[in-house]
Amino acid sequence: MTAPRPNQCLPMLIAAAILMLTATATAETEPVESSGARPRIGLVLGGGGARGAAHVGVLRELERMRIPIDAIAGTSMGAVVGGLYASGMSAAELEDLVASLDWAATLSDAPRRRNLSFRRKQDDEQFPIDLEFGIQDGELLLPKGVVQGQKLDLILRELTIDVSHIANFDDLPIPFRAIATDIELGEQYVMGRGDLALAIRASMSVPGLFAPVRVDGRLLVDGGLVGNLPIDVMHTMDVDIIIAVDVEFPLYAPHELESALTITEQMLTILIRKETLRQIKRLKADDVLIRPELGTYASTNFSDIADVIDPGATAANEAQDRLRELSVDAKVYAKYVAGREGRFGNDRSLSFVRVVHDGRVSTELLKSRLAIEPGDPISSKRLAAGANRLFGLDLYEQVSYQLVKEGGATGVEYHARSKSWGPDLLQLGVSVEDDFAGSTSFNISARLTRTGINQNGAEWRTDVRLGTDPLLFSEFYQPFGSNLRLFIAPRLEMRQSNLNAFVAEDAVARLRITEAETGIDLGAEIGSFGELRLGVYRGFGEARVMVGDPSLPNVDFDTGGFFASLRIDTLDNAYFPRHGVRADFRWNLSRPALGADDNFDAFESNFTAVWSRGKSSLQFGLGYATTMDSYDAVQDYFPLGGFLQLSGLQRGEISGPHTALTRLVYYRRVSSSSGGLFDVPVYIGASVEAGNAWQSRSDLSFDSLLFNGSVFVGFDTYFGPVYVAAGFGENGRTNYYLFIGSPN
């Protein structure tokens, strides 16, 4: 099977999101005096993506008019608003939620980088393309949705935690029904019991965009496909009067049908609208239909979602002549409001913690990563943090939790569902660098990771890179120890790279370095932010003259020795971080007893720290590398030059056994968030850099530093970082750069 290219998938997925989601006055009223029994009122909230925020405005006015709601049925965004209102939230709380929620983050899966394990942080840094394939029986598989719904699920669980013990939705403060589509049978599925957060999540699973949700053995997607305005469902909930709110996207006007996309949207809107109109015909004369005037406000426009609330309130006010007949007096309404308050109970701590999963990794390993124990307080934020730590292992397509009661005790049960396209995972990468002067480097790479090989979480990682700097790397990573934080990792690596050779300050040749190395490492994870390794290695290689004096000899060499490395990474973003640090320290001991040509030690270090305020960030970097007792083997030189590595010089233009570099980088985000899935943050920035390479450590001095700088525009895209930059050096040196992928 050949997977669609990402740039082909995105337009289709965006279109799918639009198509499915689109399927989706302040006058005082005179209350009606209660004469005992009052009519039972049902509220039907339709789907419509971001347009569904108008439901909140309608609820605000219903509360102001003191109109009690006795049952709610909702689809998609209507299920979100309706389900949360049914759980006990007020219209004011919903309005605050809609206005304050980071919708762009909520409608994505990417966990906070701090929740990733250190190995997954390496993947994030080295393979920034946000697309992962699976390989099963030789077949290439894709996830069932761009978004698995991890963040959305946890937010819904946090918001409904007070009623998470309720299995029958009739026992909620307001009886509730969520409508979804059984994608296997093509029919409506009404959820009136079970897990409230999961039911809401299933109702808004736009096909192709969100992964389907399995509930009661059924594979469910967005209910808007079969019942975007579920009036028929409300007829089964024992109500006398129905208030229905329709927020569907309108049909395009004739002059707007100018592209294949809009025509396709129109076709599907007509098909979905046909069922909605059939539902509306089921309304009786006493029922109320509210249609907020939203124009062509996009269903995917979550950045301005709060703007949709007031039109909903306006539409409710326009229907107040009919609605005031449903109003009750203040005393009756106060009693109704008091009855909507639902809480989990008196339990304030966990009596037990369980993990249910379908993978090979041991349950004890997963429980150790939760950092949650019996006796801990019941806190939705702590419970969500535990789920995110398991999700950060990148073994599961979703990790959720549910509070459960057993024998009068309250505990938490985590559910981890393995990736349906795993466990063999394929990541792709691309790196392009062009200096606009005829020099271009290009690499394409792939990483195959076999995960969950045994219950201790072993994995086998293999990297292949083709292009200017080819690479083959394979490592078997086996955790062990009481908490599985220790590991042993045998590895094999073969690579090629280019290096400039210098005599004094003059480049005399460009060498092609070919190396092969095998080794075995022993290490320890340091939380989720670091790794310590000790290793032994043996290898060989050659340095062959590619450009330059043909009289220069090719050099064969052997390597062998020990090394120690410490890596720390707390950055919140691999390429455009706002806070955190990254530090790499490595001490290499080359020893003839292990096959090396000569005896020497080498030390490399790099440190980066980032601080932010508002949209501005300041990054400080410091690097130092030196060789002790060097025999001046060119293959062991440290290169400098390139973007943010002395930007006025070409990549690797200078090198030596001793290098130092310091830099200060400022960048500011200049794009605003659209609140959608495919935001592309844009940054402008500048850097000041100082450093050099020296043949002798005694030559290192402030006076010999080269001062460089750069200005750049950066794009944090779905396919990784993209930079357009200009570098400036001494004596008028200027370089221009285009990067796709990591610049370093």
Side-chain angles (χ1 to χ4, degrees), residues 721-733:
V722 175
Y723 300 86
V724 179
F728 310 97
E730 297 180 356
N731 302 319
R733 291 289 302 272

Side-chain angles (χ1 to χ4, degrees), residues 113-125:
R113 200 166 183 269
R114 69 184 182 189
N115 290 323
L116 295 176
S117 67
F118 186 76
R119 285 181 71 79
R120 300 292 80 84
K121 288 180 179 179
Q122 291 178 306
D123 292 341
D124 179 55
E125 176 187 355

Side-chain angles (χ1 to χ4, degrees), residues 27 34 37 72 89 240 252 274 287 300 344 352 369 386 415 452 474 556 591 608 631 640 723:
S34 174
I72 300 176
M89 291 185 71
D240 302 305
Y252 284 116
K274 182 178 180 180
D287 297 333
T300 55
F344 188 82
F352 56 88
R369 299 302 174 99
H415 295 265
S474 190
D556 295 326
R591 295 295 182 262
T608 299
Y631 62 100
L640 277 179
Y723 300 86

Side-chain angles (χ1 to χ4, degrees), residues 652-670:
E653 185 171 335
I654 60 175
S655 62
H658 314 282
T659 62
L661 174 70
T662 185
R663 66 189 178 203
L664 198 64
V665 185
Y666 168 83
Y667 47 94
R668 178 179 177 84
R669 179 166 176 169
V670 295

Side-chain angles (χ1 to χ4, degrees), residues 346-361:
N346 297 322
D347 294 316
R348 290 293 178 264
S349 62
L350 297 170
S351 297
F352 56 88
V353 178
R354 282 201 298 258
V355 178
V356 179
H357 67 103
D358 56 359
R360 297 178 182 173
V361 178

Side-chain angles (χ1 to χ4, degrees), residues 636-654:
D636 294 312
Y637 281 8
F638 306 106
L640 277 179
F643 182 48
L644 302 182
Q645 303 283 327
L646 295 181
S647 299
L649 306 180
Q650 296 180 7
R651 177 183 286 270
E653 185 171 335
I654 60 175

